[in-house]
Each structure stands twice: as C-alpha cells, then as structure tokens.
Amino acid sequence: MDNAHDTIATTTPFDTAKLDRLMDEAGLDVLIATSRHNVQYLLGGYRFFFFDVMEAIGTSRYLPVFVYQKAHPENAIYIGNRMEKFEHDLGRIWTPLVKTGSWGTIDAIGHAVDHVRKLGATARRVGIEASFLPADARDHLLAGLADVELREAHFTLERLRAVKSPAELDLIREASERVVDAMLATFGSCVPGMTKNDIVARLRREEQERDLVFEYCLIAAGKSHNRAPSNQRLTEGDVISIDSGGNYRGYIGDLSRMGILGEPDAELRELLQQVEDIQQAARRAIRPGAMGGDIIAAGEATVKSSPHRAVLDFTAHGIGLVSHEAPRLTAIGPVPYSPYDADRPLERGMVISIETALLHPARGYIKLEDTLIVTESGWEAPGDHGREWNSLRLMA
C-alpha cells in the first residue's frame, strides 16, 4: 500500500536545521533510521502499538524505516507495516510520503532502496544504524545501492536528541513521578515472608496501573547484593532496594529507592546519608555551561572522602528514549562509550541520571538513583520523593 497526503507537510516535529548541520558534520547526504526509538523521535512520538512487546512476525520481524534527505524534509518517507495504514488514516504520521505495505525486513528496506534511488546522484553517502539494522536488510541495502557509501549514523541521531524539547521533558517528568509512586506503593505492601518475585510482580502491577510500560526491576534484599528477582524471602529487619525502569510513551523513568521491614537504626541512617551526600554533591555541579565531566568529578571527590569509599559505586549518564544516551559523561561507567560531553558544556534541556550504591558487607545493598533535568538556573529533579528510608512498621 502506497499512501501520500495531498498536502505536503511544511513542518517537522524535530529541528531540521540541527539535523542538517549534524549530517554535514558526519558527511551524510541521506539518513536511514531503523531503531524504534529514533524512528519514534523523528515521527514526533508516533510508535506502532502492535509491535510494542515483540517484533517477530511470521518468518521475519517488524522493521520501521524513516528516510531523510539532508535539507529536503519534503522528501522524507516513513515505511511501516501494512496495518499502519489505519494509523496513517488517522493522521498520526507526518511525513509527506508513507508506505504501509511491508511485513518483514527485506520488503521494508526494499522500499527504502527504491526511495534513495529516486533521490538521484545527490544521495551518495547514506547513514545507517548498524546496531539496529538486521543483517539481511543490510545485505539487501548494499546490493540495491551498490554505488553508495554506508556510514554509521548513531552518533548523529543521538546528538539530535541530546537536548529535550518541552514536550519530551513533560513525558520524562511523568515517567519519573509515576515510577517513584509505584515504588512507594510497593514498599507499602511488603511483609515478612514475601519473596523478591512477589515484590517485582506487585511493582509491575503498580506501574501498569499508572499507565507505565514495566521494563525491569533490579531488587536486592537483606544482606545480599544480588539484584535478580528470585524466591529469596523477606524477614523482619531486611533492607529492600528497588531500582526500576518504567516507560511512559517511550521515555524512561529510571530511579531507585530504599525500604526496610521495620525501623532503620543509626548505622543504616548514616549509610543512606553517605549515599545522599554523594548524590547532592553531583547535583551541585549541574547547570548550563558547566562541563559534563564536572558531575563525575564532584561525585567521585565525595566518594573519596567517605569512610565507605571502598564499597561505594557512583556514576552518572544521560537518559531519555534510551537508558545511557547523551550527554556522555564518562568512559569508565557501567556502559562503555567515549566521554564526548565530559569537556563540553551542559545545555538546558539535557537529562541526567545520577546513581550511587553502597554495597555494605553486613547491611546490604543501599542505593539512590535520581533523574535531573538541566534548567536555566541549575537543575530540576522530577520524582524527587521517597528518598529517605521507607519504613514498613511491622504488626506487633
């Protein structure tokens, strides 16, 4: 099915001037996006609901494709599944050209090949997302465009998304607030005898009731540092660490909070305060114009001054449509990539996750993770509640 609106769109949901500049810097004439998060961004938030959970169908998989020619948004095309005709009929896809006739990877990328060919001699350097382009689709692309040069476009698309729009920030706020609310409701239901699996199941329900897509829960309990869900049972006095990602309309709320079955003693209060001191030190480094690496330096300096420095784990990273995206603050975090933003200024609208864990050998796994939005005067922290010990008083 080949569809096109009678009136060509004159506006796009993203900054075309910024994308054109980034493509110039990367030496790209045409961009072919195939990751669901980047396609969603380029389409202004649209994401086909049918494949939200699983992409496999028949003998292949769903492959959304967005093709953009530098400086020519009027030539943009979206290539989707046949059932997306219904979404197009409702006006949810902005591109001037829309093809809703594919079922798998080969037919989807075949439409992209046809479109790039029609763009002519100016389309010689084509950007792809190698990590999100299936091997059979890449082979078909190379065979169909033998005279073009394929280049990696991951960095170009990541930089386009690095500064969030006001609408994106609203979604991140909602995601963060709802995840923390779900965590606090889950803590309130914890009793001795429950398993970690029981708690994760409860958190899943609480997130779903708040219109979040539950993605994961890392959970530690008692003295253990193991954060996989399991049949480990809670006992009186256990500390509980919940670290969960809840997705709200594509944007991630990723935070961590602490609970305890009973009342925290003086040592536990001191341990959580050590974590809090590091979190606050890192926050104080956040403002427009500050170097991204200043956040890491501030957190690490506070770790070094702590009596528990040998068992502390601190990091910070960008977050949005993807966990661990721009700004890239460090090369030694848990997810390896070059620290592109360490010596570059932070910009208003960037979003940063700050996380500190204390792996105490006797008291357990103690962690806070917060989401920070860079604002004009400093930072804003959506979901910034429940950061003390959430005490679950036991029945006498």
Side-chain angles (χ1 to χ4, degrees), residues 8 21 29 34 72 120 189 203 215 218 226 238 243 258 266 279 287 291 297 303 318 323 354 371 380 387 395:
I8 292 182
R21 174 178 57 79
D29 302 316
T34 49
H72 289 283
S189 71
L203 180 64
E215 291 200 350
L218 297 167
N226 188 307
D238 276 356
D243 182 343
M258 296 300 303
Q279 293 290 102
R287 62 186 181 279
M291 297 299 104
V303 168
S323 181
I354 296 175
T371 295
E380 170 194 348
R387 303 180 71 258
M395 298 294 291

Side-chain angles (χ1 to χ4, degrees), residues 38 132-133 144 165 178 200 208 225 276-277 288 305 314 316 318 354:
N38 277 321
F132 298 92
L133 184 62
S165 69
R178 295 178 190 213
V200 172
Q208 290 171 341
H225 300 161
E276 171 72 342
D277 289 346
S305 67
F314 163 79
I354 296 175

Side-chain angles (χ1 to χ4, degrees), residues 65-76:
V65 183
F66 182 100
V67 183
Y68 176 83
Q69 182 184 20
K70 185 180 64 179
H72 289 283
E74 72 276 10
N75 291 336

Side-chain angles (χ1 to χ4, degrees), residues 323-338:
S323 181
H324 292 265
E325 62 174 33
R328 302 181 183 185
L329 306 175
T330 177
I332 57 173
V335 180
Y337 41 69
S338 61

Side-chain angles (χ1 to χ4, degrees), residues 196-197 200 216-221 224-230 232 240-244 254-258 313 315 324 334 355-359 364-369:
K196 293 204 295 181
N197 282 329
V200 172
Y216 62 84
C217 175
L218 297 167
I219 178 170
S224 174
H225 300 161
N226 188 307
R227 297 203 291 161
S230 71
Q232 176 188 341
I240 309 166
S241 167
I242 294 180
D243 182 343
S244 180
D254 179 15
L255 301 99
S256 184
R257 297 292 181 262
M258 296 300 303
D313 184 12
T315 194
H324 292 265
E355 48 186 310
T356 304
L358 194 158
L359 286 70
Y365 191 92
I366 301 169
K367 178 178 181 179
L368 291 174
E369 182 173 7

